[in-house]
Amino acid sequence: MFKLPFKLALLMLAVVSAGILWQQTQLLVLALTRIDPLPDARAMLAEERYAEAADYLSFFMNYEYVSQNSEAQSLYQEISSKRESWSYQLDKLGEGLLSGTSDETIGKVAGVATDFFVIGDIRDLAEQGVNLAQGEEVDEILVALATLGVVASTAQVASGAGTVATGGVAAPSVVGSTVVKSGLIALKTAKKLGKLPPWLGKTIVKTAKTAKQSKSLEELTGFIGDVNSLANTRGGFKLIGNAENAADLRRMAKFADAFGSHSATIYHIGGSVAVDVAQRSDKLGNETIKLATTFGQGGLKLLDDVGALKFTKFASRGTKIAYKGDFFDLLVKLLLMVPTWLLYFFVIFGAVVWIPRRMFSALGRQLYHGSQKPSKVINSPKVT
């Protein structure tokens, strides 16, 4: 029926197709490319975002393919030297004192200190008052936050006085008011950094209007804990800015709790995909999710599809290939473009052509004779 060369070609095609189907997960991993962090880190450095550049590059320095790179080592040392210089630290201290915001620890501490003791709230109210007097635009969200800050400070003082008078009975209220105050400081920082989502801004303004009369901050308690969790995480304000509602803010907080100082970097790479995958970190494992992040969003999606065990096994095999080359990468990607149904067709057809012709002839005769069997005739009674 078929010539031998044609049959051999089909057999080879069937074997290749079977191999692709068998090793499909391995091929998917090999098709992924690990992220080179140097271009992004250099871009951050050029924009003088030293803290962000340090966090981003330090995440990748945990993996040998970056930590053994001399260029990465040199760049990381350059960023670290800049951040450790006294002039840089002094600038960040001033930044925190004057504006209440900073991306470095020393500036954050200074900013929090001024806000925690009402100084910052009074400063912000005064600035907005000057804007109003000069006919300039007044930031109603910043005014609302400063107002709520004054209310929270008053609650702190009252709770503290109650604690002293009752020998500690009012201690929980002190803790509660302090948590709210910390949350308000975080929200104010987010606002100044441009990381406060619109829905949260509306909630703050609404709460401030009722709080001036009732002196209550109950409307904030639903999400203030999540805000504090994110504010206490490096890069957490970026996550606050991307939360679309209270439920999304809760997911972001869970994500930040799981990955700590690496949260901002993982989110920078994986976006909402990383947050979605992190919700299953109890099954996938934090370290596996970090490993998948070094392959970008594609790595995170593949991890979610195949599970931690398969992904780790195949990723470890893939990283042993020191250099794959453009041709190898292209070949793997082309193989993965072949539809699964077509691969199964090649496997089945490749097997069928090797079945002996006489078997088809015998099967055909069997089917033919089976269809030609005479049907039983029922004799009808004769009519007389």
Side-chain angles (χ1 to χ4, degrees):
M1 188 184 295
F2 296 105
K3 299 292 184 180
L4 183 60
F6 182 68
K7 291 172 70 174
L8 288 172
L10 283 176
L11 179 62
M12 185 177 294
L13 185 59
V15 171
V16 171
S17 298
I20 295 172
L21 289 168
W22 179 43
Q23 292 292 335
Q24 201 162 39
T25 303
Q26 177 71 83
L27 288 172
L28 286 168
V29 173
L30 290 174
L32 296 172
T33 304
R34 277 194 139 172
I35 292 173
D36 177 5
L38 296 183
D40 273 1
R42 288 195 183 102
M44 294 173 188
L45 194 60
E47 296 173 3
E48 298 185 352
R49 293 150 55 195
Y50 297 104
E52 188 177 350
D55 289 342
Y56 181 74
L57 192 53
S58 67
F59 172 79
F60 289 95
M61 292 296 281
N62 292 311
Y63 299 93
E64 284 188 8
Y65 83 100
V66 176
S67 63
Q68 301 300 319
N69 185 321
S70 58
E71 287 185 45
Q73 294 170 358
S74 177
L75 185 61
Y76 190 69
Q77 183 58 46
E78 181 184 345
I79 296 170
S80 300
S81 298
K82 175 64 178 179
R83 295 179 71 208
E84 291 168 2
S85 67
W86 67 267
S87 57
Y88 176 80
Q89 291 289 319
L90 192 61
D91 285 343
K92 291 300 175 180
L93 175 62
E95 186 179 70
L97 288 171
L98 294 174
S99 66
T101 64
S102 179
D103 57 352
E104 291 288 359
T105 302
I106 188 170
K108 287 178 182 177
V109 171
V112 168
T114 57
D115 277 315
F116 209 81
F117 295 105
V118 197
I119 299 170
D121 295 322
I122 295 172
R123 175 197 60 206
D124 293 332
L125 286 171
E127 286 177 358
Q128 297 306 311
V130 170
N131 289 345
L132 180 63
Q134 294 178 347
E136 297 177 6
E137 186 179 354
V138 176
D139 192 326
E140 63 172 352
I141 296 176
L142 204 54
V143 170
L145 283 166
T147 302
L148 291 169
V150 173
V151 173
S153 297
T154 304
Q156 274 185 306
V157 173
S159 299
T163 301
V164 173
T166 58
V169 175
S173 61
V174 175
V175 174
S177 58
T178 301
V179 168
V180 171
K181 180 67 177 178
S182 298
L184 289 169
I185 293 169
L187 290 169
K188 189 188 291 185
T189 303
K191 171 60 182 172
K192 291 179 178 180
L193 292 172
K195 303 297 183 183
L196 191 71
W199 69 270
L200 198 46
K202 291 177 182 178
T203 303
I204 290 164
V205 172
K206 180 183 176 183
T207 304
K209 289 177 180 177
T210 58
K212 284 191 288 187
Q213 299 175 347
S214 63
K215 305 298 179 184
S216 173
L217 300 171
E218 289 182 4
E219 289 187 45
L220 294 176
T221 56
F223 57 81
I224 210 73
D226 296 329
V227 169
N228 278 326
S229 292
L230 289 163
N232 290 327
T233 303
R234 288 195 66 84
F237 289 109
K238 182 178 181 180
L239 300 177
I240 292 175
N242 284 280
E244 297 179 356
N245 48 50
D248 203 25
L249 188 69
R250 175 62 53 86
R251 291 170 71 249
M252 294 288 195
K254 183 179 178 182
F255 173 70
D257 288 341
F259 296 101
S261 60
H262 295 307
S263 302
T265 298
I266 296 173
Y267 186 80
H268 175 78
I269 296 167
S272 58
V273 174
V275 179
D276 291 339
V277 172
Q279 306 309 304
R280 293 176 285 284
S281 61
D282 54 334
K283 293 181 179 179
L284 298 174
N286 290 352
E287 293 305 316
T288 311
I289 292 173
K290 289 179 186 178
L291 173 64
T293 302
T294 65
F295 293 95
Q297 278 196 7
L300 289 163
K301 289 177 181 177
L302 184 59
L303 167 63
D304 205 24
D305 289 340
V306 304
L309 189 61
K310 278 188 177 181
F311 182 87
T312 304
K313 180 175 70 175
F314 290 124
S316 63
R317 288 180 188 173
T319 52
K320 288 176 183 177
I321 302 175
Y323 177 73
K324 295 184 289 183
D326 294 336
F327 176 76
F328 184 87
D329 290 341
L330 181 61
L331 178 62
V332 170
K333 287 173 182 176
L334 286 173
L335 289 174
L336 289 171
M337 288 174 65
V338 181
T340 303
W341 65 267
L342 188 56
L343 294 173
Y344 278 112
F345 171 78
F346 287 145
V347 172
I348 295 169
F349 189 56
V352 167
V353 297
W354 282 90
I355 297 175
R357 187 175 178 180
R358 61 178 178 274
M359 288 185 65
F360 283 107
S361 300
L363 181 61
R365 285 195 300 271
Q366 233 179 358
L367 291 173
Y368 175 77
H369 290 305
S371 63
Q372 295 298 313
K373 284 182 180 179
S375 56
K376 291 182 180 180
V377 178
I378 301 174
N379 295 324
S380 56
K382 292 181 179 180
V383 180
T384 58

